Amino acid sequence: MLSTLRSIVQELNGINNLQEALDTIASRVQAAMQTEVCSVYLYDQQSGCYVLKATEGLYKDAVGQVRIAPSEGLVGLVGTREEPINLEDAQSHPRNRYFPETGEERFRSFLGVPIIHHRRVLGVIVVQESQNQRCFDEGEEAFLVTISAQLAGVIAHSEATGAIGGLSITGDQARDVVFSGVAGSPGVAIGTGVVIFPPADLDSVPNKRCEDIDSEIQRFRDAVTSVREDVEQVGERLAPQLRPEEQALFEVYLRMLHDHALPGEVENRIQDGSWAQGALKDVVNQYVRHFEMMGDLYLRERAVDIRDLGRRLLSHLQEGEPETPEFPDNTILVSDELTPAMLGEVPQGQLVGLVSVRGSGNSHVAILARAMGVPTVMGLVDIPVAQLDGREMIVDGYEGQIFASPSMELKTFFESIIEEEQELVRGLEELRDKPCKTLDGHRMPLYVNTGLITDVVRSLNHGAEGIGLYRTEVPFMINERFPSEQEQRAYYREQLEAFAPADVTMRTLDIGGDKALSYFPIVEENPFLGWRGIRVTLDHPEIFLVQIRAMIKASEGLDNLRIMLPMVSNVSEIEEAQHLIYRAWHEVRGEGYKLAMPQVGVMIEIPAAVYQIREIASRVDFISVGSNDLTQYLLAVDRNNPRVASLYHSYHPAVLEALCQVAQDCHDVGKPVSICGELAGDPGGAILLMAMGYDALSMNAANLPKIKSIIRGVDLEMARQLLAEVLTMDSPHVIRSCVELRLRNLGFGRYIRPERSASQFNESVAQGEPTTAATSSRH
């Protein structure tokens, strides 16, 4: 049974067509379990019924015709209960119902298993038997459960693929289909999807049509010729070191590159209108699937050779192409995993939205997106990225959703939200030069988090009083090598000059975790608990010293530099880093620079540091809390994992208690404390942090005007009362609701989320208002 299961799983993984996958499952499961019937029913969102989509043993004419409501029959019962139902005599069950068009009245034994994907029932798989009193045993039930789990991913992927193209699971027209992910950056964007895929990654190649078939075929033939030459050269070079049987591998490659083999099939697909990369991907995947299904181990291993050959061909196809695609005016950048470098490829003024399959609302790219004011949705784990290239899309960064095949009514609805956002921004412009002071006179300095030079202009326009966090890893990420001391000095000087004489707090290089450098890869099974932040730079003092020297030199004549150390977990790290900083400062002064020793502080991100605040604060000039990572570590939630993103709560009681303790302990030893995590830019979070006693809040520039407006409209005593109230609560959801209710009562509801949302649009559809037909489709 195990080998059969493995074979079916391999076959499923290689099938892209949903109906083919369902037919294959019905046939293979019927044979494997030696039962008379295997059927697959899929749940149709539009009709609210389970539809018979594939069967072996029932009448084929019933496929697509039989529809079962959740309240009907045993299939509906399996879906409703969301668990297997195994019956020796289905005819005696009170929920049993026959559908004459299927011919199932002669079958008595019944085993039904729900097909569930991410808590959503997609359908039901059923096996039936006419022989009396056959009870499917535990092994058979477990086998069918395993099959259903594999089938769930195939169905979800196919649903998404069809929906993007405007088709429902039954093939009917679908519009305004929504895909739910995680909100990465607030706002709404309407534009055209542009898919960015990594070089030589076949799985990420988007589906495109070619306009000039002859030139596309020639381009592919040139790639084949180049790969042939590469293989021949490698074979000749390695011949003296290889045995004859090993040399034969190169002959296998060359035979696969023969015109009548793989290249011929790729050219046939190009003739049908596909571009070369897409045709290559389809053919290679087809070859791989066939090889993996073979019983012979040697032949199965040849699938690896096919993949390698496909990557080699793709690499040559990509040579000579423009390094960046064409970007339309309203570009929505889409990728399996967005990187800061990708954001920089889009010409200024043309990027309106971001969509990333991987990542969460607190990933590094999401933070950059918020700094740039670009609506972003992350964590769309089941969406077929390749289908989004060139598609008109809507990105709802408030609710973490994207819409494919949008109707004119839906576009009009979201255009009105965009206009409301613009009016709100215009209304806050007058606050730029006004002090951030509460109604009862408490001063609350507001700083910004920056990383790109474009952040500077936006920050100054929004009235920032300084930089609370400059992410120095950004200049490292946009380079193909470590930037030189002179290059770093130029980056840092821009930031320091723009805000002088106000303070600019520069965090030393913080790589690892979700921030990787292509030229300095850090591969770890658990990167967030691994080699990152201060741990990397202390192990590489040559990198750290160059950066510190560049910072200090950049501050000459300005003296507004503050240096901050990330990911500190113990006092010894601080002492070692301070020794290197003093060394760099003396070296710079020895070169003739005249400047004061910059202030040095620590970023509190690790729970261990929370309990050492007094010892840490006594050794540095200031403390700043990085609430994003601190929350992640306190709650044991990977902020880049969309599957657990719902467990990440900045309002969690443990997080609030830790933040209170940090502020209190810092003040007890007479050191200033600020916070530069995303909580500072949250309307309710800013109120609570002010009440805790934080001396400054640092946030993304886009959030600064509304936070200033809120603080100027409340008094400190009210904030302290609210904090005392929420600290008695044990649920992050209740705490957030309490804080948001208070803000609404004070007239600040418009800052929490848009007054209208996509859910309200869906409600209008349900009430019969004239919009579209498929807004309830969720994937």
Side-chain angles (χ1 to χ4, degrees), residues 339-581:
T339 66
M342 290 178 181
L343 274 59
E345 291 178 5
V346 185
Q348 189 171 357
Q350 292 179 222
L351 180 65
V352 298
L354 297 170
V355 175
S356 182
V357 173
R358 301 181 188 179
S360 74
N362 291 284
S363 66
H364 192 63
V365 167
I367 292 172
L368 288 178
R370 287 192 286 272
M372 298 168 65
V374 179
T376 303
V377 175
M378 318 284 289
L380 291 151
V381 292
D382 296 316
I383 195 166
V385 172
Q387 301 291 329
L388 293 174
D389 195 71
R391 296 276 186 185
E392 186 176 29
M393 300 164 54
I394 296 175
V395 175
D396 181 356
Y398 292 109
E399 297 196 358
Q401 297 175 334
I402 69 168
F403 292 82
S405 305
S407 63
M408 184 57 66
E409 292 89 347
L410 187 67
K411 286 170 61 179
T412 300
F413 171 81
F414 276 106
E415 284 169 354
S416 67
I417 291 181
I418 293 174
E419 178 59 30
E420 288 176 7
E421 291 175 338
Q422 294 171 346
E423 289 179 4
L424 179 61
V425 171
R426 287 192 291 267
L428 294 173
E429 288 178 351
E430 63 181 24
L431 294 178
R432 184 182 67 179
D433 299 322
K434 294 183 178 180
C436 186
K437 186 181 295 185
T438 62
L439 295 175
D440 51 357
H442 178 71
R443 184 81 169 84
M444 188 75 248
L446 299 185
Y447 298 125
V448 288
N449 305 330
T450 69
L452 303 170
I453 191 59
T454 53
D455 297 338
V456 172
V457 177
R458 184 180 298 107
S459 301
L460 293 172
N461 288 340
H462 288 174
E465 300 176 52
I467 295 179
L469 168 64
Y470 172 62
R471 303 181 180 94
T472 61
E473 61 272 8
V474 174
F476 286 77
M477 288 178 169
I478 62 178
N479 273 281
E480 296 180 353
R481 54 168 174 76
F482 283 110
S484 67
E485 181 181 311
Q486 187 60 37
E487 288 171 329
Q488 291 186 57
R489 179 184 175 188
Y491 288 127
Y492 305 152
R493 185 72 181 184
E494 285 181 321
Q495 302 278 336
L496 291 164
E497 282 184 331
F499 280 88
D503 288 338
V504 172
T505 304
M506 294 192 170
R507 182 177 66 190
T508 59
L509 184 62
D510 185 14
I511 56 174
D514 62 338
K515 291 164 286 189
L517 303 180
S518 60
Y519 51 86
F520 190 70
I522 300 174
V523 180
E524 297 176 308
E525 289 189 9
N526 196 337
F528 282 95
L529 297 181
W531 201 46
R532 60 172 302 197
I534 195 69
R535 300 169 184 176
V536 176
T537 49
L538 289 182
D539 284 349
H540 282 274
E542 77 281 8
I543 297 174
F544 187 71
L545 285 168
V546 168
Q547 183 177 40
I548 297 300
R549 286 167 54 87
M551 287 181 182
I552 294 175
K553 287 181 179 180
S555 68
E556 186 182 28
L558 302 174
D559 291 329
N560 61 335
L561 168 67
R562 302 203 311 170
I563 298 174
M564 184 161 62
L565 307 174
M567 295 302 297
V568 169
S569 60
N570 59 69
V571 170
S572 64
E573 291 171 333
I574 300 172
E575 294 173 341
E576 187 177 354
Q578 286 177 325
H579 171 75
L580 292 173
I581 293 171

Side-chain angles (χ1 to χ4, degrees), residues 8 70 89 94 162 224 368 431 435-436 448 475 479 512 627 658 674 703 758 762-763 771:
I8 294 175
D89 185 11
V224 171
L368 288 178
L431 294 178
C436 186
V448 288
N479 273 281
S627 63
S674 62
N703 293 333
N762 292 343
E763 288 172 7
T771 51

Side-chain angles (χ1 to χ4, degrees), residues 582-636:
Y582 281 122
R583 172 181 157 185
W585 178 63
H586 283 295
E587 289 174 354
V588 170
R589 284 175 60 86
E591 294 177 19
Y593 290 86
K594 296 180 180 180
L595 32 76
M597 175 67 189
Q599 288 190 342
V600 177
V602 164
M603 202 168 184
I604 302 300
E605 304 166 89
I606 297 176
V610 173
Y611 298 99
Q612 301 178 75
I613 286 296
R614 293 172 182 267
E615 294 79 9
I616 291 174
S618 65
R619 288 169 168 81
V620 296
D621 298 303
F622 65 92
I623 293 291
S624 185
V625 177
S627 63
N628 300 337
D629 270 324
L630 181 58
T631 302
Q632 171 177 251
Y633 291 129
L634 280 170
L635 303 183

